[in-house]
């Protein structure tokens, strides 16, 4: 019987703040209990489970992050888990002009139980990549599948490879010279966790086991490197596959987004 409470405790203890090498061009700055991640395509805020302030003090903390990135002409994302404290944090973010996105399921699996040899359909090959041209092809795939501009993914992946190529593995599945599925895994030194990210598949190639093959390959490499647990913030499309592969729901995560355009609209309104 899996101890889901223990998995959640491990996640809270080890995965709240990004460990390991800071991607090239990115800086980490603390403001009290929260971490500002600066230099990416958008600002990011990461926090412990309990931010430790409430009421007006919490409003001021939120406003400082929003105003910091407004001064840079950038948006900012604040990631909140369902069990975070204080309970008023989401409503305070909304009051400060942040907009909520749909929640993701936070899933954790045991790497050794998910690891397997990949099984690919005929005509599909799997390889590890890191060259800029391949990273641009991945970004193009992400944009096509998800329907939003994700061209920044190429630079984000490149910055991670440049910072420490040993902390990331990037995979593509190809058919007829085209990338049909992509995914990567980030190894978090000093933790039990490897984080699985970026898994998308072209619609016409879904249902053939390609996503599962990339999942098994990443799990196998994580286990070989000594990482016991796998973490995914899963979309509604990937969560059922992950559950069938032995992953367990531990909480949900929601991104609260703020952009300068939102402030302009509010002022005009």
């Amino acid at each position: 019987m899996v101890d889901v409470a223990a998995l959640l405790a491990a996640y809270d203890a080890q995965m709240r703040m990004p460990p390991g090498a800071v991607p090239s061009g990115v800086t980490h700055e603390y403001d009290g209990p929260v971490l500002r991640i600066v230099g990416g395509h958008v600002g990011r805020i990461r926090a412990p489970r309990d931010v430790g302030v409430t009421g007006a003090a919490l409003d001021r903390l939120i406003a400082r992050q929003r105003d910091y990135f407004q001064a840079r002409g950038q948006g900012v994302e604040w990631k909140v888990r369902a069990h975070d404290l204080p309970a008023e944090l989401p409503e305070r973010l909304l009051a400060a002009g942040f907009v909520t996105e749909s929640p993701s399921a936070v899933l954790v699996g045991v790497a050794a139980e998910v690891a397997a040899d990949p099984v690919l359909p005929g005509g599909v090959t799997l390889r590890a990549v890191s060259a800029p041209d391949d990273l641009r092809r991945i970004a193009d795939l992400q944009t096509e599948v998800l329907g939003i501009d994700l061209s920044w993914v190429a630079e984000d992946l490149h910055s991670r490879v440049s910072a420490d190529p040993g902390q990331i593995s990037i995979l593509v599945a190809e058919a007829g010279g085209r990338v049909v599925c992509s995914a990567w895994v980030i190894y978090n030194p000093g933790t039990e966790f490897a984080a699985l990210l970026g898994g998308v598949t072209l619609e016409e190639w879904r249902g053939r086991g390609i996503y599962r093959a990339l999942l098994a390959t990443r799990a196998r490499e994580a286990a070989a490197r000594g990482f016991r647990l796998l973490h995914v913030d899963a979309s509604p499309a990937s969560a059922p596959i992950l559950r069938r592969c032995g992953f367990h729901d531990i909480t949900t995560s929601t991104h609260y987004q703020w952009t300068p355009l939102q402030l302009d609209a509010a002022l005009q309104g």
Side-chain angles (χ1 to χ4, degrees), residues 4-267:
V4 174
L7 293 178
L8 178 58
Y11 171 86
D12 280 335
Q14 301 175 44
M15 292 296 287
R16 286 291 181 157
M17 302 296 183
V22 178
S24 300
V26 173
T27 59
H28 287 179
E29 305 173 358
Y30 280 92
D31 181 354
V34 304
L35 174 68
R36 279 197 296 254
I37 302 175
V38 184
H41 79 289
V42 67
R44 291 188 169 92
I45 302 298
R46 298 295 181 262
R49 183 193 174 196
D50 188 348
V51 176
V53 294
T54 61
L58 179 57
D59 288 339
R60 290 192 294 271
L61 178 66
I62 293 169
R64 284 200 303 273
Q65 314 321 310
R66 179 197 62 201
D67 295 347
Y68 177 94
F69 287 101
Q70 180 190 355
R72 291 175 56 88
Q74 272 192 305
V76 58
E77 148 205 299
W78 191 308
K79 186 174 183 177
V80 180
R81 285 78 168 183
H83 63 300
D84 283 359
L85 297 172
E88 65 186 301
L89 177 58
E91 65 186 73
R92 297 283 181 175
L93 287 166
L94 293 174
F98 285 72
V99 174
T100 182
E101 295 189 341
S102 298
S104 299
V106 180
L107 303 175
V108 172
V110 177
E113 296 176 0
V114 181
D117 293 329
V119 178
L120 292 164
V124 178
T125 59
L126 177 64
R127 68 186 175 100
V129 301
S130 60
D133 284 349
D134 286 318
L135 303 185
R136 281 192 290 272
R137 294 171 73 207
I138 289 172
D140 290 343
L141 174 69
Q142 298 270 324
T143 296
E144 180 177 354
V145 171
L146 298 177
I148 57 176
D149 181 11
L150 292 168
S151 57
W152 59 267
V153 167
E155 180 57 34
D156 182 75
L157 291 173
H158 178 70
S159 70
R160 293 180 183 278
V161 172
S162 299
D164 187 343
Q167 289 186 20
I168 185 171
S169 296
I170 307 168
L171 301 174
V172 295
E174 296 169 304
R178 186 179 189 191
V179 175
V180 299
C181 184
S182 70
W184 52 96
V185 52
I186 296 175
Y187 308 102
N188 296 302
T191 79
E192 300 175 275
F193 285 89
L196 306 183
L197 299 159
V200 298
T201 308
L202 283 175
E203 184 173 2
E204 59 267 33
W205 286 91
R206 294 173 191 166
R208 306 191 198 186
I210 302 174
Y211 176 89
R212 188 176 291 225
L214 269 66
L215 175 63
T217 301
R218 289 178 291 165
R220 184 177 61 182
E221 184 169 351
R225 292 180 180 225
F227 291 91
R228 185 175 73 89
L229 299 174
L230 306 171
H231 156 252
V232 188
D233 275 13
S235 70
S238 59
I241 301 172
L242 292 160
R243 293 183 185 112
R244 289 195 295 270
C245 290
F247 281 74
H248 306 277
D249 289 80
I250 61 168
T251 186
T252 62
S253 68
T254 302
H255 288 166
Y256 287 77
Q257 303 275 2
W258 180 88
T259 68
L261 291 178
Q262 288 167 210
L263 178 62
D264 291 344
L267 292 174

